[in-house]
Amino acid sequence: MAEPDRPFSFRGRSMAARDGETLLAALSRDRLPLLRRSLQYHRPQGPFCGIGHCAGCLVRVNGRPNVRACRHELGPGDVISTENAWPSPDWDLLGAIGILAPRGVDSLHGLRRPAFATPLYQRLVRRLAGTGEPPTEEAARAIAAPALERAAEVVIVGGGDAGRAVATALAARGVRPLVLERTLRSTPIVGADFVPATTAVFLPPPSEAGDPRFTLLAFREPGQGMRVTARSVVLATGGYDSSLLFRGNDRPGVLSADAALSLTSDSRRPPFRRAVLVGGGARAAEVLERCGNDVEAVVAPGEIRPAVVGAANELAIPLYPRSLLLGVRGRRRVRSVQLKSRGGGASTTIGCDAVILAHRRVPHAQLFFQAGASMEWRSDPGAYAPKVRPDGVTSVPGLYAAGSVAGLAARDLAGHAQGIADAIGGNGSSNAPTFAPLLDERPNELLGYYRELLRTRGHGRWTACACVDVLVSEVEKAVRSGYRGIEVIKRYTSLGTGICQGRYCLPDALLVLSLLEDRPPFEVGYITQRPPVVPTPLAALASLPSPSAEVVP
Ligand code: FES
């Protein structure tokens, strides 16, 4: 691997990155960095997801606020500073809020008395709220770019294995699809127009009258707006590794399997030496294969599958199946985890420098909700996914689902892609397909896990939503006060309204609410998926011409 030779400055310190390296990778050579403080209680936070969806790696780059370190490829001479912490994320004076109010600040009913002080409170709260400071003029100008307008027969969102397979199958039929891919660098696809570093953020259903085309909004890093019109849309958005509720679940050092795998791509050395791996299935096996030498123990909420047992035994890694993960210790970084066997066993402490969550992968289904597709609850993994036929057809004419987002196994990706290409070729019917109503009523295996965990003393102080600092106790209080359903709980507590748009808190919140409300998770509902589904630079949205403008094919 090449030596780092791209100079940049991080909080006044001179550092160097390799060509094409992200800021997060450059900052994570030896260990995972502490990059910011949380919005309300100023808890230490670090990178969690590694794929541009959480709030853990936001920094200021060359005067531009809230840049995701895991999505920023370093340019020579970049100047990076941190946000939301004074004087620094390591020592932040406002961290005292969490110490002075260990049960949380009642932001709904607090700060109201005496009434004459309300304007003062409001000024104070406005000063403390939000993240980052406005960009400098120079920084705003630097990302300004004319918007892109594209028209295509078929647009494919996601250039991973499934998206590529569909693009190849379409190209073989003489259709040249437009493929939008989020990763910053990836190989083009023969026979397709390939646009990397591009995130789709809004997909409304096509208008019912007249024009059956979709209009999709996207942005290209760092801030170029893009509008695509297409007759057919294939969503191959895949899935992501979700979070888990325990004490300190947003402490620097707790990271998703997505992050662990992306930070160790290209044979890079992991930013941890003694990680506790959480999960006993295929994803845990993948992490073990990549960085098993730096794994200290494997802990699973349920059983551990034979493939993981075999790999762990080879590396002499101890296994802890059917364990409750109670919390992590360490003020500014993970130093150890505390476990307990399920069913009331003894508790154990394991020294570690990271916790990798690989226990549950949920679909990136936000755009299906926006497009008005019929969705169904899947007990495994405990999440909503689009109702889809084996040929990728969804309930919305012209909208298709490919790969794992549809819950379709990748065993025969080529055959699956052919089916979608055939369905698109025969598209033109405006009749939506009918689906048998299917609600998977098997209990999710994590439901039993959370039932036990919620009996643990002190769980109320755990963080239910890391983006906006909502505690588990606030959710419990809302339910005790008579609020029911995830949408109402969201409005009451703000859970799910932060930068990750609910991706990391909702999967667990649905299960916990199902227990607190004593009804199946799918009856708890889901929150409205408003645009944009990924925070988008205003410059990108503002640059888009009015929808009536002519589109260049
Ligand atoms: S680690 Fe960068 S957004 Fe989550």
Side-chain angles (χ1 to χ4, degrees), residues 47-50 52-54 57 68 70:
F48 170 74
C49 73
H53 283 301
C54 73
C57 74
R68 289 178 146 124
C70 63

Side-chain angles (χ1 to χ4, degrees), residues 476-488:
E476 290 176 314
K477 187 175 163 200
V479 174
R480 275 199 307 275
S481 307
Y483 296 95
R484 285 170 72 80
I486 189 77
E487 180 67 28
V488 175

